[in-house]
Amino acid sequence: MTVTDQPGAELEAGFDRLIQADQRIEPRDWMPEAYRKTLIRQIAQHAHSEIIGMQPEGNWITRAPSLRRKAILLAKVQDEAGHGMYLYAAAETLGVDREELTEKLIESKQKYSSIFNYPTLTYADVGVIGWLVDGAAICNQVPLCRCSYGPYARAMVRICKEESFHQRQGYELLLAMVNGTPEQKAMVQESVDRWWWPSLMMFGPPDGDSPNTQQSMAWGIKRHTNDELRQRFVDMTVPQAEALGVTLPDPNLVWNPERQAHDYGEPDWSEFKAVITGAGPTNAQRLAHRRRAHENGAWVREAARAYADKQKQVSA
Ligand SMILES: CC(C)(COP(=O)(O)OP(=O)(O)OC[C@H]1O[C@@H](n2cnc3c(N)ncnc32)[C@H](O)[C@@H]1OP(=O)(O)O)[C@@H](O)C(=O)NCCC(=O)NCCSC(=O)Cc1ccccc1
């Protein structure tokens, strides 16, 4: 009996064939344990980011400057909850439980995006999050619509459509502000100054310091490296900043005709490391809020469980 005659090797060869043919892996297909683990890690982090990501903008719902702005912001934050639910459902197809993932989040055993550990100090931050944070999310997530794992790829299609709408609403809000009073324009610039570097950090560490990229690309989970996507974001954002009349706070940001791309400065990677290990400006506050909301929701989960048990008895 040769190695490939063994059932395990055959399954692995089948998986490799699907990946090489750029076809989708579905929940019932055999997959290597490390592939499953990587997907759970990434999808769970992504879901947690959407859920924690409701907090910075949610902070402004009660103080939106008009009914129209309040309705828009409410709808956006609600969309983020929906994205979190889709993504938890995609993770569940890999054999984990949503309850278990939430526990891991509130016990700091799983990460969420660094970007949501910064405070939203002014209303301009709502527009800048839409423009830069959703803009970065789109750059990062459009390629994930072609991810090799079917349920994640399909969830990303709808999520990206909504993120794109979010990005435009942020830009529209900023356009209104930069065409308003000098104070409003200054508010936008001050907000851009605070959010620019954290937005670049959303793409993850530089390629040389990214332990997961190579394997995730070989498996077709990631389609581009962190630095490739960061570059794409910079190139996409510079003309938008010019149209808004704001300056991006990087003295090294300049068009490089040879590369046909912008050169830009180095983000402060020590700040990034501090933020992803729990020492960012609002890490403790974000997690405490999430923990409190989870505990306050215990009675809803209990009631839902009791109702489901009763239904089972009725149909038995
Ligand atoms: C690119 C990356 C984030 C990281 O690449 P990988 O290959 O996975 O890792 P890599 O080896 O490069 O890194 C080494 C370590 O560093 C961790 N780390 C890296 N970067 C970050 C970071 N920025 N924050 C925190 N941690 C980060 C990484 O997990 C790993 O640690 P681990 O080994 O796990 O302990 C990838 O996971 C991805 O594309 N995820 C899907 C997209 C996604 O999650 N989007 C969410 C935001 S968008 C949104 O929510 C929409 C929205 C907008 C507005 C309002 C509300 C909502």
Side-chain angles (χ1 to χ4, degrees):
M1 198 171 169
T2 64
V3 176
T4 45
D5 288 338
Q6 291 168 11
E10 227 168 75
L11 290 170
E12 190 148 6
F15 171 85
D16 290 344
R17 263 196 308 276
L18 283 174
I19 295 287
Q20 263 145 38
D22 205 11
Q23 290 188 355
R24 298 289 161 267
I25 307 296
E26 295 298 339
R28 288 183 185 184
D29 293 338
W30 182 89
M31 60 187 85
E33 216 27 53
Y35 176 82
R36 183 188 301 277
K37 270 197 180 152
T38 294
L39 277 167
I40 293 173
R41 178 183 65 79
Q42 179 165 328
I43 301 173
Q45 278 184 19
H46 196 165
H48 299 329
S49 303
E50 299 280 358
I51 297 298
I52 296 277
M54 295 163 73
Q55 292 184 37
E57 291 159 288
N59 181 35
W60 284 92
I61 290 174
T62 54
R63 289 172 290 160
S66 68
L67 186 59
R68 177 172 171 263
R69 292 290 173 199
K70 191 195 281 257
I72 293 171
L73 187 52
L74 262 175
K76 179 180 192 277
V77 171
Q78 217 168 349
D79 282 353
E80 283 153 8
H83 297 173
M85 295 303 124
Y86 273 166
L87 288 163
Y88 283 130
E92 282 184 326
T93 65
L94 291 156
V96 282
D97 189 70
R98 184 179 308 195
E99 183 82 16
E100 180 191 330
L101 297 179
T102 302
E103 292 293 337
K104 286 198 171 140
L105 167 68
I106 60 186
E107 286 166 11
S108 297
K109 288 184 183 151
Q110 278 178 346
K111 294 190 174 79
Y112 59 89
S113 180
S114 51
I115 193 73
F116 304 117
N117 291 307
Y118 293 86
T120 41
L121 303 179
T122 73
Y123 192 70
D125 290 359
V126 170
V128 169
I129 288 178
W131 175 40
L132 294 182
V133 176
D134 284 280
I138 293 166
C139 270
N140 170 265
Q141 290 169 23
V142 165
L144 293 175
C145 298
R146 293 186 291 112
C147 162
S148 59
Y149 187 57
Y152 190 30
R154 288 189 289 275
M156 290 319 301
V157 173
R158 176 147 178 200
I159 291 176
C160 283
K161 283 186 185 159
E162 293 182 354
E163 302 285 29
S164 163
F165 189 64
H166 293 171
Q167 201 250 1
R168 282 156 202 230
Q169 73 76 35
Y171 197 76
E172 188 270 343
L173 165 55
L174 296 180
L175 262 184
M177 287 187 81
V178 295
N179 289 306
T181 63
E183 287 82 1
Q184 285 175 314
K185 188 165 183 192
M187 231 169 144
V188 174
Q189 182 63 59
E190 187 274 335
S191 176
V192 169
D193 290 347
R194 278 184 291 111
W195 289 95
W196 173 248
W197 293 106
S199 299
L200 291 188
M201 294 174 195
M202 284 176 73
F203 295 92
D207 293 349
D209 296 330
S210 166
N212 300 301
T213 295
Q214 210 181 356
Q215 181 61 71
S216 286
M217 285 183 64
W219 276 328
I221 296 174
K222 285 169 85 163
R223 297 288 177 169
H224 305 279
T225 71
N226 298 354
D227 285 333
E228 281 166 8
L229 293 173
R230 199 172 357 255
Q231 179 74 56
R232 192 178 284 187
F233 173 69
V234 170
D235 292 337
M236 177 186 99
T237 308
V238 167
Q240 295 172 355
E242 277 164 14
L244 277 177
V246 294
T247 311
L248 298 172
D250 179 356
N252 297 317
L253 185 60
V254 59
W255 176 251
N256 181 333
E258 270 169 42
R259 289 201 307 122
Q260 285 291 298
H262 292 86
D263 291 338
Y264 59 95
E266 196 68 34
D268 179 351
W269 294 114
S270 62
E271 175 181 317
F272 172 75
K273 280 190 192 121
V275 172
I276 68 168
T277 49
T282 65
N283 288 62
Q285 180 191 329
R286 300 284 184 243
L287 273 185
H289 188 77
R290 183 70 197 93
R291 199 175 297 120
R292 208 165 38 242
H294 187 63
E295 284 163 6
N296 289 343
W299 69 272
V300 180
R301 293 189 295 279
E302 233 166 76
R305 233 171 268 133
Y307 180 75
D309 288 347
K310 222 175 187 178
Q311 291 300 103
K312 254 187 241 155
Q313 280 169 13
V314 170
S315 60

